[in-house]
Amino acid sequence: MRTTLHACIAVALSCAGCSERERTPAAPGAGAATVEAVDDSADIEALLRRRARDAAHPPQPLLSHPGSTLVRERLSEADARRLCPQLSNSGLAYEPDGYFRHAALRRVKLPFSELPGGVFELVTDSRGLREDPDHVAPAGALLAIVAGDSHADGVCPNAHSFANLAEARLSARAGLPPVDVWNAAVGGQSFF
């Protein structure tokens, strides 16, 4: 198995020391897994310079980082596909603010040797959230949304994800309303 990590926005700009293609083989006895780091930061820097000159797309600094040069902005689908090659994965869909999300109504078995049976079933609902399609929130439930990377997304069945475990624990509190926790996380995602 090969995992390819592409430099993406902030990562690319801090990756100046990477070689063109840097490969790290898996641990001995772990099979043929390889992580391949691809330094495509020159393409990304050129795209960011072009966008900085484009008056129709003035950068909007993140409000949580006053004085920072870090910028997060909406991207066209073409720019998102160039900056985030993981969009070539058919299991992901373009999203202008987060750049990509899980595709809607997906049900696919994926290999993961650390789980019993060696596979897990990735299931998404009509919004592309890691929720079972027939999930209905209890009446009067509060809503919480989990966003993040693969750690929050979960390489596990939906019922075992952080979001669903949190939902169960929060909803079990005596005398308090139930909580519906949506899992909007997606592996490879970052807030920066």
Side-chain angles (χ1 to χ4, degrees), residues 6-105:
H6 288 266
C8 189
I9 306 176
V11 175
L13 300 177
S14 65
C15 192
C18 292
S19 62
E20 184 63 29
R21 291 199 182 273
E22 193 172 300
R23 292 179 175 83
T24 305
T34 300
V35 174
E36 179 181 26
V38 177
D39 182 6
D40 49 4
S41 58
D43 290 340
I44 293 170
E45 287 179 30
L47 175 63
L48 293 174
R49 279 194 300 278
R50 178 183 55 80
R51 288 182 59 82
R53 291 188 306 264
D54 184 353
H57 298 97
Q60 300 297 315
L62 288 171
L63 297 177
S64 61
H65 293 83
S68 171
T69 59
L70 182 62
V71 174
R72 178 76 175 210
E73 60 180 288
R74 292 185 130 215
L75 291 178
S76 69
E77 184 169 357
D79 286 345
R81 287 188 180 283
R82 183 155 182 211
L83 289 172
C84 302
Q86 54 269 60
L87 270 166
S88 63
N89 174 339
S90 64
L92 298 177
Y94 164 72
E95 200 285 312
D97 294 315
Y99 311 150
F100 57 92
R101 61 172 173 74
H102 284 292
L105 298 173

Side-chain angles (χ1 to χ4, degrees), residues 127-143:
R127 301 163 294 193
L129 300 175
R130 283 290 305 278
E131 299 293 332
D132 294 333
D134 56 356
H135 173 77
V136 177
L142 302 173
L143 174 64

Side-chain angles (χ1 to χ4, degrees), residues 136-156:
V136 177
L142 302 173
L143 174 64
I145 299 173
V146 171
D149 61 10
S150 58
H151 297 279
D153 186 1
V155 182
C156 59

